[in-house]
């Protein structure tokens, strides 16, 4: 699973809903040095296929997906720090 490993909810399931953060730096797209946001899976069969993401201040991210005839927009809060 690369340099960040696997999250708990993804270890036993083929579906992955993980959002990697990237930035444009000096004309190149680069992975940000932060762990990915791993979303809690609905079940072991259904993937939501998120298509867009944007950081919402430092509180979380907005994600969007569509499956005709509906669109889903969701807010995913970042985990609270201990």
């Amino acid at each position: 699973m690369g340099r960040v490993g696997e999250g708990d909810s993804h270890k036993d399931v083929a579906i992955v809903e993980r959002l990697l953060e990237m930035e444009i730096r000096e004309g190149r797209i680069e992975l940000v040095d932060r762990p990915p946001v791993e979303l809690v899976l609905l079940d072991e069969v259904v993937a939501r296929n998120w298509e867009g993401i944007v950081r919402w201040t430092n509180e979380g991210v907005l994600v969007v997906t569509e499956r005709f005839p509906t669109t889903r927009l969701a807010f995913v809060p970042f985990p609270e720090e201990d």
Side-chain angles (χ1 to χ4, degrees), residues 28 31 42 51 53 58-60 63-64 67 72 81-82:
R28 297 177 49 184
L31 192 59
L42 292 176
E51 297 170 15
I53 180 173
N58 287 323
E59 297 177 40
V63 291
V64 64
R67 183 175 292 169
R72 287 187 180 175
E81 295 183 25
D82 293 331

Side-chain angles (χ1 to χ4, degrees), residues 17-76:
E17 290 187 359
R18 173 162 57 185
L19 306 171
L20 303 175
E21 188 172 354
M22 299 179 184
E23 290 180 343
I24 298 175
R25 297 182 195 148
E26 299 178 9
R28 297 177 49 184
I29 298 172
E30 297 183 7
L31 192 59
V32 173
D33 191 24
R34 280 191 273 248
V37 176
E38 293 204 17
L39 303 174
V40 175
L41 301 174
L42 292 176
D43 57 38
E44 297 180 9
V45 181
V46 177
R48 290 168 279 201
N49 191 29
W50 299 108
E51 297 170 15
I53 180 173
V54 65
R55 179 180 288 275
W56 183 261
T57 64
N58 287 323
E59 297 177 40
V61 294
L62 295 172
V63 291
V64 64
T65 188
E66 58 83 22
R67 183 175 292 169
F68 186 80
T70 61
T71 297
R72 287 187 180 175
L73 177 65
F75 173 71
V76 180

